Amino acid sequence: MPELPEVETIARRIAPHLLTKKLQKIVVLHQKCVRGSTTLVESACVTKVLRRAKLLLIHFDNGNSLLIHLKMTGQVLYQDEKMRLGGGHPTADWIADLPSKHTRAILEFSGNSRVFFNDMRLFGWIKVVSKLQLQQELKVFAPDVISPEISSEYFFGKLQQTRRPIKIVVMDQSVAAGVGNIYANDALHLSKLHPARLANSLSRPESDAVLVALQEVIYLGIAHQGATIHSFRHIDGFAGTYQDITRVYGRDGKLCQTCRTKIKKIKLGGRGTYFCPTCQPSSKSRDTALEL
Ligand SMILES: [Zn+2]
């Protein structure tokens, strides 16, 4: 599932090509994937293309917006007469003729350019919203984890309020938005904390270390244009490279780059959880959620 760095990458790639263009029409190929009245944005011009949490936002000059959530298998692909760019779930559709059988909506812009929203599994969506609806939609998200609004005090306060494992808390979008499984695993390795440590057992310095580590791995992810984890290759220019430099994510059985201990994999909250037993020891048993 795309996380903050992957969606940020798509926004940065497509923004220069969409700004000031007029959205002429939204062609809906699968009703389930497009919500709201498309007429709210048709004939309006793009003023901004941004990311918030894991959402892609396209703002228009009439005050209305499009929200796009890629969920598990969504893709956003921009195409004009000269180029194609974008990102999301890596499949052959990245280089196939478009629309493909997974294209769920086509945004037709001026200048003969189009944005294809593809989604194999139909969990992703595009939502057309007014300014007021946009505020409502975004209210459920905490500030982005890389926003200055996520202060040391704020973060420690949130951890103090819960006995859930730290890894699950850092992925909670109402605590800090944008962190998913890849970056949560790596940030906890960087901060030398066991992923099952109970959030309220962290000291203030430990909480600070986790926050700094989360921001560091997220920025590193953005610098590497996200992670592209799939067997499908030969997709030059689209794939991110963070998967090649993960600290622990996806590296079970391999050696920790810090101490050469074998990285372990467990399940936590149903998600694959990777850690180094030496760098990230489980502390006193009362502070961890699992028997380890
Ligand atoms: Zn280690």
Side-chain angles (χ1 to χ4, degrees):
M1 182 187 286
E3 302 184 28
L4 188 159
E6 290 74 41
V7 182
E8 178 75 24
T9 299
I10 296 173
R12 290 183 186 188
R13 282 179 185 158
I14 67 172
H17 303 280
L18 290 186
L19 287 178
T20 74
K21 280 187 182 163
K22 183 188 270 190
L23 175 57
Q24 291 165 329
K25 188 174 170 48
I26 301 181
V27 181
V28 179
L29 299 175
H30 199 298
Q31 291 294 340
K32 185 172 178 250
C33 296
V34 181
R35 303 168 192 180
S37 169
T38 56
T39 54
L40 278 179
V41 287
E42 282 168 341
S43 300
C45 293
V46 177
T47 55
K48 275 182 190 159
V49 180
L50 299 169
R51 176 206 52 78
R52 171 77 174 88
K54 299 175 193 173
L55 290 169
L56 187 65
L57 271 64
I58 304 177
H59 295 302
F60 292 86
D61 60 357
N62 62 1
N64 300 326
S65 306
L66 280 180
L67 289 174
I68 303 178
H69 200 315
L70 299 174
K71 294 284 181 173
M72 301 296 287
T73 57
Q75 297 174 334
V76 169
L77 299 171
Y78 167 89
Q79 184 165 310
D80 61 23
E81 285 153 352
K82 293 189 196 124
M83 70 181 92
R84 181 187 293 184
L85 40 82
H89 187 63
T91 69
D93 281 352
W94 278 15
I95 50 173
D97 284 342
L98 292 175
S100 76
K101 65 177 178 182
H102 302 122
T103 300
R104 309 307 180 187
I106 307 170
L107 313 180
E108 295 182 348
F109 288 93
S110 53
N112 238 345
S113 51
R114 292 181 291 175
V115 168
F116 294 87
F117 177 72
N118 298 342
D119 191 4
M120 272 162 60
R121 293 178 64 184
L122 297 170
F123 292 128
W125 45 256
I126 296 178
K127 211 176 273 188
V128 190
V129 291
S130 66
K131 204 168 188 174
L132 194 67
Q133 288 168 323
L134 179 67
Q135 288 168 1
Q136 296 293 328
E137 289 282 340
L138 298 181
K139 237 173 33 186
V140 299
F141 297 106
D144 284 346
V145 67
I146 51 174
S147 153
E149 290 171 67
I150 305 282
S151 66
S152 163
E153 287 88 348
Y154 166 91
F155 192 66
F156 185 57
K158 286 285 183 187
L159 300 193
Q160 288 286 292
Q161 288 167 19
T162 176
R163 284 177 58 78
R164 289 180 298 162
I166 181 65
K167 174 158 175 267
I168 291 176
V169 177
V170 301
M171 290 170 65
D172 181 341
Q173 303 299 298
S174 69
V175 172
V179 181
N181 201 30
I182 299 174
Y183 300 96
N185 275 295
D186 278 7
L188 290 173
H189 181 263
L190 184 57
S191 50
K192 300 193 185 307
L193 284 174
H194 194 285
R197 272 282 298 277
L198 302 182
N200 68 351
S201 78
L202 267 63
S203 67
R204 179 66 180 265
E206 285 174 330
S207 165
D208 287 349
V210 173
L211 180 58
V212 168
L214 283 168
Q215 293 169 340
E216 190 174 327
V217 297
I218 290 281
Y219 278 121
L220 195 62
I222 293 171
H224 284 79
Q225 302 190 27
T228 305
I229 296 167
H230 201 269
S231 54
F232 184 75
R233 296 285 168 177
H234 315 296
I235 36 184
D236 295 349
F238 280 53
T241 54
Y242 184 79
Q243 71 282 1
D244 299 333
I245 59 152
T246 58
R247 302 177 68 88
V248 287
Y249 179 84
R251 293 195 181 275
D252 46 315
K254 296 191 177 137
L255 299 182
C256 169
Q257 293 155 1
T258 310
C259 74
R260 316 301 290 168
T261 304
K262 260 192 190 171
I263 290 164
K264 273 180 96 168
K265 181 182 181 186
I266 55 171
K267 283 258 182 188
L268 199 56
R271 304 297 298 274
T273 298
Y274 306 83
F275 67 103
C276 167
T278 305
C279 293
Q280 300 164 268
S282 58
S283 68
K284 294 158 287 183
S285 58
R286 67 183 171 83
D287 289 341
T288 39
L290 298 176
E291 289 293 316
L292 296 157

